[in-house]
């Protein structure tokens, strides 16, 4: 994690999301911007981005099926051992807890099959 600290990345993603909403851009645009702005930062950073997006999405009434599939697949492949050089033990435990919460939330979410729905 060269450019970000663990907490800083989560906080920045939340700030970008809230900024987009405050500009009346809508949730779909806000998520798309996060995906675009925080794409391919690094293996662990990408997991954190997926967790942050997932935490936002599980607050929605309906979630686009593509997001559910992609995030679930990504987070299911997380290996805590791979994060040992980049995160503290405390951060790995927190990330693992958050991953489980997102995966469970996505499993029970109502799916939306319309990619352009707000």
């Amino acid at each position: 994690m060269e450019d970000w600290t663990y907490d800083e990345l989560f906080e920045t993603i939340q700030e970008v999301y809230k900024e987009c909403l405050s500009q009346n851009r809508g949730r779909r645009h806000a998520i798309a911007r996060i995906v675009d702005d925080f794409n391919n930062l690094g293996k662990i950073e990408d997991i954190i981005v997926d967790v942050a997006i997932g935490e936002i999405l599980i607050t929605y009434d309906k979630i686009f099926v593509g997001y559910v599939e992609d995030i679930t697949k990504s987070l299911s492949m997380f290996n805590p051992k791979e994060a040992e050089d980049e995160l503290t033990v405390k951060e790995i435990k927190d990330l693992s807890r958050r991953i489980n919460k997102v995966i469970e939330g996505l499993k029970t979410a109502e799916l939306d099959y319309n990619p352009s729905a707000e």
Side-chain angles (χ1 to χ4, degrees), residues 11-23 25-34 38 52-53 56-57 59-60 118:
E11 290 167 9
T12 302
I13 291 168
Q14 281 294 323
E15 288 171 12
V16 169
Y17 181 74
K18 289 174 184 174
E19 178 186 323
C20 283
L21 294 182
S22 73
Q23 296 171 349
R25 302 273 182 134
R27 298 183 314 181
R28 186 176 59 115
H29 176 82
I31 294 296
R33 178 165 171 212
I34 292 168
F38 298 93
I53 292 170
I56 293 167
L57 291 174
T59 67
Y60 292 5
E118 191 56 43

Side-chain angles (χ1 to χ4, degrees), residues 8 21 38 52 61 110:
E8 192 176 56
L21 294 182
F38 298 93
D61 293 333
E110 185 175 344

Side-chain angles (χ1 to χ4, degrees), residues 27-91:
R27 298 183 314 181
R28 186 176 59 115
H29 176 82
I31 294 296
R33 178 165 171 212
I34 292 168
V35 169
D36 188 51
D37 286 357
F38 298 93
N39 188 27
N40 295 320
L41 298 177
K43 191 168 190 170
I44 301 305
E45 291 91 336
D46 289 350
I47 293 290
I48 293 170
V49 170
D50 283 344
V51 169
I53 292 170
E55 288 177 336
I56 293 167
L57 291 174
I58 62 176
T59 67
Y60 292 5
D61 293 333
K62 288 183 173 184
I63 305 170
F64 176 59
V65 66
Y67 286 140
V68 172
E69 292 169 352
D70 291 347
I71 291 173
T72 300
K73 180 180 177 183
S74 168
L75 299 183
S76 295
M77 295 188 306
F78 174 68
N79 179 352
K81 290 248 183 243
E82 294 177 359
E84 288 177 351
D85 291 338
E86 298 188 49
L87 301 175
T88 67
V89 171
K90 183 179 177 182
E91 290 169 340

